[in-house]
Amino acid sequence: MNLYLRYFDSEILVHNADEAIAFLSEIDEIGMNHMLEADIRDYVASDIQYPKRYKVRPRVYFIIIKTDAATMQDFKEKRAVRNEPPKAAAPAVLRLNEERYGWYEGALDFKRVTMMPGTGKFQYRDTHFVACCKAYSGQDCYNRIVDHLSQRVDSRSQFPSSKGKNFKFAFLGDCKQ
């Protein structure tokens, strides 16, 4: 694991915390001290992968980025970018249009328009709805749930996108056509 450091136009790619501290010590404005040195060593030793920035003075920072790049050119050309696995929602989105006839359980969080009894005014309420239905895909499951709800709730209610985090589905099993 290497470290990329930048302060305005001064930048360097180093191999360890000692080299990083030596680079920062050469810059007078940063004012290297024991607390800053200890914090940099802790950051380098930790499992934290996100960049860290340190405040030098108001609106002026230097930044440290952990990288797998072997050279500055590799870092600049983003050759050592980590390929993180997709988030949990991504596989469901990819499976959304996968055709497989059977039973699906779909869960939908939507904004339902309801009337407040005391005042007669309308307001949006977060509503969670779960249903099991026969469908050809996750998208078909979503469409059937929205069709069902749109016939039963106020037309001003707002339904989320099938690709968003407010719709989840699971294939429960095959069924006879």
Side-chain angles (χ1 to χ4, degrees), residues 2 19 28 43 53 117 128 150:
N2 293 325
E19 292 176 15
D28 294 332
Y43 170 70
R53 67 180 191 171
H128 182 73
S150 61

Side-chain angles (χ1 to χ4, degrees), residues 2-177:
N2 293 325
L3 303 168
Y4 170 79
L5 289 91
R6 185 179 73 218
Y7 179 71
F8 288 109
D9 291 336
S10 302
E11 62 183 3
I12 191 169
L13 189 74
V14 297
H15 304 291
N16 56 42
D18 292 330
E19 292 176 15
I21 292 168
F23 169 76
L24 294 170
S25 297
E26 294 173 4
I27 302 171
D28 294 332
E29 293 178 4
I30 291 178
M32 181 59 68
N33 58 38
H34 295 292
M35 289 176 37
L36 181 59
E37 182 179 334
D39 194 50
I40 291 170
R41 289 184 191 282
D42 290 343
Y43 170 70
V44 171
S46 72
D47 293 334
I48 298 170
Q49 291 300 317
Y50 57 85
K52 181 130 184 186
R53 67 180 191 171
Y54 292 90
K55 190 173 192 174
V56 176
R57 59 180 187 272
R59 294 185 298 245
V60 176
Y61 300 87
F62 72 87
I63 189 168
I64 301 176
I65 300 173
K66 291 182 179 179
T67 181
D68 291 328
T71 66
M72 182 67 82
Q73 183 176 358
D74 288 349
F75 180 78
K76 295 285 183 166
E77 293 175 1
K78 298 180 182 172
R79 289 187 190 154
V81 173
R82 292 179 179 269
N83 291 328
E84 295 182 13
K87 294 181 179 162
V93 169
L94 296 175
R95 292 184 293 117
L96 193 61
N97 292 318
E98 181 181 298
E99 293 224 3
R100 186 169 181 192
Y101 184 70
W103 285 98
Y104 285 84
E105 179 182 70
L108 185 71
D109 295 324
F110 69 103
K111 301 280 187 187
R112 182 178 187 172
V113 174
T114 57
M115 185 175 68
M116 295 174 52
T119 63
K121 293 183 178 180
F122 292 90
Q123 70 178 16
Y124 286 102
R125 295 240 174 178
D126 290 333
T127 306
H128 182 73
F129 183 81
V130 179
C132 292
C133 62
K134 288 182 184 179
Y136 289 96
S137 65
Q139 182 67 46
D140 188 36
C141 173
Y142 170 82
N143 293 339
R144 289 174 187 247
I145 290 172
V146 170
D147 289 343
H148 174 80
L149 288 172
S150 61
Q151 296 172 9
R152 289 166 175 77
V153 298
D154 191 296
S155 62
R156 295 172 288 181
S157 297
Q158 298 174 355
F159 298 104
S161 167
S162 60
K163 297 176 185 170
K165 65 180 181 178
N166 291 325
F167 173 67
K168 294 179 178 61
F169 71 94
F171 180 76
L172 299 177
D174 293 326
C175 66
K176 295 180 182 177
Q177 291 192 7

